[in-house]
Amino acid sequence: MYIDGVNLSHLVVHEPGESYQSQANINRWVEVLVDCPGNLGLFTYRLPPQLEIKPGDILTVPFGTQQMGGIAIRLLTQPNSDIPIEKIRDVEDVVSVGFFPVGYWELLNRVATYYYTPLMQAIRVALPPGLLGRSQRRIRLTSLGKQVTKNDSDNNNLLTQQMSAAATFISSSAQQILQLLQAHPLGDYSFIYLQQKIKSAHRGVRELKRFGLVESYLEPPKLTRPKLQKAVTLIDTIDADLTPRQREIIEVLRRRGGELWQSELLQICHTSASVLKTLANKGYIIIEEREVLRTEQGPVVSGDRPKSLTPDQAKALAKIQALNGYTQVLLHGVTGSGKTEVYLQAIAPLLTQGKSALVLVPEIGLTPQLTDRFRARFGSKVSVYHSALSDGERYDTWRQMLTGEPQVVIGTRSAIFAPLPNLGLIILDEEHDSSFKQDSPIPTYHARTVAQWRAEIENCPLILGSATPSLETLVSLGNIGEENPSSSSLYLSLPQRINSRPLPPVEIVDMRRELQEGNRSIFSRSLQEALHQLQERQQQGILFIHRRGHSTFVSCRSCGYVLECPHCDVSLAYHHTEDGAPQLLRCHYCNYARSHPKFCPDCASPYLKFFGSGTQRVAQELSHQFPELKYIRFDSDTTRNKGAHRTLLTRFANGEAHLLVGTQMLTKGLDLPQVTLVGVVAADGLLHLSDYRASERAFQTLTQVAGRAGRGEDPGRVIIQTYNTEHQVIAAVKSHDYQSFSTAELEQRQALDYPPYGRLILLRLSSLDPIQVQNTAQIIATKLNTGTGWEILGPAPASILRVANRYRWQILIKFAPDDLPKLPDWEEVRPLCPPSVSLTIDVDPLNIM
């Protein structure tokens, strides 16, 4: 493992009921796993007499000149003999009491081992933000540094006086750091950030400190704590010695049940805190601080009862409820077949048995709609856990899970680590979706893989639901249709929609022919006609485009120059803000932005043209061609603010727009019964990618977005525009034929030994230095080539070599599915990377571009 001389997988980290008090005179020291990069051992600390500490507690401890987060691993009667007792430091504080039960600890160890990640990194992913806080080194401008930011002659003279002649020729890295700090309103950045942005940042900082332009300081850890609020409680109503004003306050409290938050009482009574304090001194009320739970608050939803099931649903539910212990279930249901209702009815009996359920969805945008449906069925037992919540909301929701109360937690991939003590069922909805895989930071885990391990450890069923299952899941089931009582996997099918509604017919439009016949619009004549009908009949539809923004790149028509990001090897996309506003070009990788130039930077020509189409361009064309057609854009540009997903979907569901125009978010399980039309503006952007998974992703995306149509009473219609009508993906989507597509795709994968018939590990290397990262990649590839049992592809530059000024190289390792123990010793590979080159080991990568 990653802990020096200790096999943590055999440790019992926390046993309920074990008390520190009973061992107060025995255990005076504790071994702590400290959250410090580069220090992977256990460290011994002294137990202060005022702290009650048990294994599994989350602590704050001193480490060098900093304070760090850590996990109490085990109590000791004596420290190691080679550690001088006088050098052992005291634990600072307990952040959270006993968190790691045995099964949970086993899961985290398995994640760390499988994904070649230090155990503490796996722990950080599992915990909410702010629990493992640590102080960090920051760099800020001094008063002299702030003065020289002003562009006047006096300050230039000041600079000359304060700095030696050599200082006027400070290095390039020092100049870049100074410019970054000067551009920041507070002139303050973390040292880690400066290291990521600027090559040789440590030398530049040292140089600037020598001239007195910057200083470094240690920022203490920012730990998340419970939110406390003052509450007022009425304890005496005999008002003999009260003023009329005080009697009024007592009467308000009495009518409100004898208890109110102080802020609410002050607002109702238009009074001050001093008046309340007088009442407290007289013994009429008590003012005390109480915890306020910060949880995601959805709208009030009316109650919902279980719906009658179709024969297929009833059969699937019966088989799920008959399961006893771990079984992996693939619920393969066409779009609109009622998978969610099966989930709901499978969960209901578990809650009555005192068990909890965990439901994972691929996108935050899905959680509002799914949460409302679950809350309508299960009320306050439903919690939400994902990265869009505030740190306080995640912290309080996380602590609520630890209570052990039966509950349903809905969340994105990180929720797979939700600390539910009595887990009865895990569900992955849209299990095929690539959003369940984390590319960075480490560990590069897949929520589906971790869910399988957790279901095994908890001995509970795992349901994988999808209309287009991943090929890995399909192959893992073995021979579908053959009943095997001893098998730990089960295939269940929902082949028909609710009420036997038909799947929508899919019309494929050849855009080459449209162009030949004089149609230069981004909308085919067939789609234009359908949009007119949508407007006339006051129905609703979806327009899908795989890119956000207005145009994918800007090029000069005179010389062919393409405007690119200065930090990445990609073109800048045009983003339209509003009419009359400056035209904005933005990088979709590092978020760099600049105004659109009037003239070509290369040849000074004024003829700059926008090419390609994004969601903004489609929306703009809609406004031009169909001014009466109302639309709502639904992409990452319009859903950045908290609650935006719910707001936009609610507006659309309330009929405030005819069209929802958006990107991949629209394909992920949204249930919009009123949608009768789905238009795919340009399917080709999904088909021709340099990735062996491109066809599978394209089929899944197009099938899923097509499935949004015709889920209600009115029949649906799907129009897909493409320049490649002969492509096998297009043919399979047209006929809703998952079986033929998966069979053909699996034959190709097997011939090439690609997943699911082979295994891959992708090594990603990046650095600010293009030569050093290339040389390092070559050294590692040479080292790996000395082994046997695997094939090395590369090293090669990433498809986009430079992102955010970091140069990226890749090495792909291909091997047989069962050969994981025979792989290289990564502890011999990591030291081959110099400090300036970062290495990420991505096990089972989904994105190799």
Side-chain angles (χ1 to χ4, degrees), residues 561-843:
Y561 179 83
V562 175
L563 276 76
E564 294 187 339
C565 174
H567 311 299
C568 312
D569 291 336
V570 295
S571 58
L572 293 172
Y574 168 51
H575 281 245
H576 179 76
T577 48
E578 59 184 34
D579 293 337
Q583 294 175 321
L584 186 68
L585 304 181
R586 186 178 296 280
C587 174
H588 286 181
Y589 285 83
C590 73
N591 211 32
Y592 166 83
R594 61 158 293 176
S595 60
H596 176 58
K598 292 183 179 180
F599 303 97
C600 171
D602 196 44
C603 71
S605 166
Y607 302 113
L608 293 169
K609 182 178 172 64
F610 302 130
F611 290 87
S613 298
T615 48
Q616 284 187 333
R617 169 81 188 284
V618 172
Q620 204 173 63
E621 286 294 315
L622 278 173
S623 299
H624 176 68
Q625 294 191 41
F626 305 93
E628 300 300 319
L629 208 60
K630 297 178 182 177
Y631 64 85
I632 293 173
R633 269 180 57 214
F634 193 71
D635 57 28
S636 56
D637 286 336
T638 61
T639 57
R640 287 178 179 169
N641 296 331
K642 188 174 181 179
H645 295 90
R646 181 188 296 279
T647 301
L648 295 179
L649 289 174
T650 301
R651 285 178 53 201
F652 186 71
N654 291 338
E656 295 182 27
H658 299 97
L659 279 171
L660 202 58
V661 181
T663 52
Q664 260 88 345
M665 285 191 225
L666 296 174
T667 72
K668 301 177 190 288
L670 294 179
D671 187 18
L672 303 167
Q674 65 274 34
V675 170
T676 59
L677 171 69
V678 167
V680 178
V681 177
D684 303 273
L686 298 168
L687 300 175
H688 306 294
L689 299 175
S690 56
D691 186 344
Y692 74 94
R693 292 182 183 271
S695 291
E696 182 184 5
R697 284 201 187 110
F699 176 82
Q700 289 167 341
T701 299
L702 294 175
T703 300
Q704 292 285 344
V705 74
R708 301 312 107 201
R711 298 165 78 99
E713 296 298 327
D714 297 326
R717 181 184 181 187
V718 180
I719 299 172
I720 297 178
Q721 299 180 167
T722 177
Y723 288 91
N724 195 346
T725 56
E726 304 83 11
H727 199 286
Q728 64 165 357
V729 169
I730 299 297
V733 171
K734 178 179 172 60
S735 56
H736 299 283
D737 192 353
Y738 173 83
Q739 186 62 46
S740 67
F741 170 78
S742 60
T743 300
E745 186 69 13
L746 283 172
E747 287 177 359
Q748 293 183 24
R749 299 276 186 93
Q750 192 167 23
L752 297 170
D753 287 332
Y754 275 113
Y757 299 107
R759 292 282 305 283
L760 297 176
I761 292 179
L762 182 65
L763 306 186
R764 293 192 178 97
L765 298 99
S766 72
S767 174
L768 295 169
D769 187 330
I771 304 301
Q772 193 164 42
V773 69
Q774 181 178 353
N775 290 341
T776 303
Q778 190 61 58
I779 291 169
I780 291 177
T782 302
K783 168 72 174 177
L784 294 174
N785 270 319
T786 60
T788 58
W790 58 80
E791 179 184 354
I792 302 297
L793 303 178
S799 59
I800 300 173
L801 174 61
R802 185 173 56 116
V803 172
N805 279 332
R806 296 189 69 86
Y807 294 85
R808 312 184 308 155
W809 278 70
Q810 298 181 161
I811 302 169
L812 194 63
I813 306 173
K814 188 161 55 164
F815 54 98
D818 302 323
D819 283 354
L820 198 57
K822 301 177 184 176
L823 286 174
D825 183 351
W826 298 111
E827 298 312 309
E828 295 180 6
V829 173
R830 291 182 193 275
L832 299 177
C833 279
S836 61
V837 177
S838 70
L839 169 65
T840 300
I841 302 173
D842 189 352
V843 180

Side-chain angles (χ1 to χ4, degrees), residues 293-300 371-372 375 384 389 393 400 642 646:
L293 283 178
R294 297 158 291 189
T295 55
E296 191 261 359
Q297 299 296 323
V300 177
T371 303
D372 290 349
R375 281 185 174 146
V384 176
L389 301 179
E393 288 172 335
Q400 258 189 311
K642 188 174 181 179
R646 181 188 296 279

Side-chain angles (χ1 to χ4, degrees), residues 392-531:
E393 288 172 335
R394 292 177 72 182
Y395 176 64
D396 286 355
T397 303
W398 180 80
R399 289 190 303 126
Q400 258 189 311
M401 298 178 205
L402 288 171
T403 62
E405 292 293 320
Q407 55 193 295
V408 181
V409 173
I410 303 173
T412 48
R413 66 171 175 255
S414 62
I416 189 55
F417 299 104
L420 293 167
N422 196 11
L423 197 54
L425 180 66
I426 302 174
I427 297 170
L428 258 77
D429 194 28
E430 310 296 340
E431 67 84 26
H432 64 274
D433 199 282
S434 59
S435 299
F436 283 125
K437 178 71 162 68
Q438 176 152 304
D439 289 331
S440 65
I442 56 173
T444 58
Y445 69 97
H446 197 302
R448 184 179 61 226
T449 304
V450 180
Q452 290 168 355
W453 297 337
R454 187 160 190 193
E456 288 176 2
I457 293 169
E458 303 280 356
N459 197 30
C460 70
L462 167 65
I463 300 178
L464 307 175
S466 178
T468 53
S470 65
L471 299 181
E472 283 85 353
T473 297
L474 199 66
V475 169
S476 70
L477 292 173
N479 294 322
I480 293 174
E482 293 184 9
E483 293 285 344
N484 184 357
S486 63
S487 174
S488 61
S489 60
L490 179 64
Y491 176 83
L492 300 175
S493 177
L494 300 177
Q496 289 188 326
R497 283 185 158 188
I498 299 295
N499 298 328
S500 298
R501 295 188 184 104
L503 289 169
V506 178
E507 177 185 346
I508 307 299
V509 178
D510 190 340
M511 294 302 286
R512 295 168 296 186
R513 180 172 295 178
E514 291 287 314
L515 193 61
Q516 290 169 3
E517 296 178 3
N519 180 18
R520 297 185 176 277
S521 168
I522 61 174
F523 303 128
S524 63
R525 288 166 298 179
S526 181
L527 185 53
Q528 290 178 33
E529 177 194 352
L531 292 172

Side-chain angles (χ1 to χ4, degrees), residues 302-359:
S302 56
D304 177 38
R305 293 184 177 181
K307 295 176 173 56
S308 58
L309 301 179
T310 66
D312 291 324
Q313 285 177 308
K315 181 180 178 182
L317 179 63
K319 290 197 173 185
I320 291 169
Q321 291 180 332
L323 296 174
N324 183 22
Y326 169 70
T327 305
Q328 178 180 304
V329 180
L330 172 58
L331 184 60
H332 184 185
V334 298
T335 54
S337 59
K339 293 185 289 294
T340 304
E341 185 62 29
V342 174
Y343 302 155
L344 289 165
Q345 296 198 28
I347 290 170
L350 296 176
L351 296 176
T352 61
Q353 297 166 22
K355 296 182 178 181
S356 294
L358 179 59
V359 182

